[in-house]
Amino acid sequence: MSVVEQYARAHVLTDADLPDEEGGGAVPVVLRYDPEDDPRSVCVALPGRGSCRWTFSRALLEQGLRAPAGNGEVRVWPCGRVRAVVEFHSADGCSVVEFDTEALLRFLRRTYTAATAAATEPVAR
């Protein structure tokens, strides 16, 4: 089965999590989907503070690109026509991250392609 891993640049909007300004305020983020692990979930890994990782519903990410959506520790909403905001809550606080919507859409398309391929692969015996 095909794991999808995509690197994206995002802007951290939370004061406590702001990176040094030499990267223009953008940080590298890893978007990951493993249909074998959980075909309905995606993972977002942020750098810093022990490489924070959140796993949440792929449907939540998709819904949040169209209208505000949230479930527990993760909330997603569109921010204009070309940006989306993802808010992550944990015991340590809240991280608010802004992505280019196109990067998230590209990632979602790749996850659906991988899920379809995984569903049609013959089972090895």
Side-chain angles (χ1 to χ4, degrees):
M1 295 199 191
S2 180
V3 172
V4 174
E5 192 166 274
Q6 178 176 312
Y7 294 86
R9 306 262 322 145
H11 294 274
V12 178
L13 304 178
T14 314
D15 287 345
D17 297 328
L18 285 175
D20 294 333
E21 290 301 313
E22 65 184 57
V27 296
V29 176
V30 179
L31 307 170
R32 184 175 168 80
Y33 171 74
D34 185 347
E36 191 171 306
D37 184 40
D38 183 352
R40 292 171 297 206
S41 295
V42 295
C43 178
V44 176
L46 299 175
R49 287 201 294 179
S51 295
C52 302
R53 298 180 70 117
W54 284 271
T55 300
F56 56 97
S57 164
R58 181 172 58 166
L60 172 63
L61 180 59
E62 184 175 5
Q63 291 167 2
L65 294 179
R66 293 188 306 270
N71 184 6
E73 299 175 339
V74 180
R75 293 182 180 89
V76 183
W77 65 88
C79 183
R81 299 177 75 194
V82 296
R83 303 254 189 255
V85 174
V86 183
E87 185 177 271
F88 301 102
H89 293 267
S90 71
D92 295 331
C94 176
S95 294
V96 181
V97 183
E98 183 180 70
F99 290 88
D100 285 339
T101 301
E102 186 55 40
L104 296 176
L105 287 170
R106 186 173 39 255
F107 172 67
L108 283 170
R109 282 192 295 269
R110 292 180 65 208
T111 68
Y112 287 114
T113 300
T116 302
T120 59
E121 285 180 2
V123 176
R125 296 190 198 260

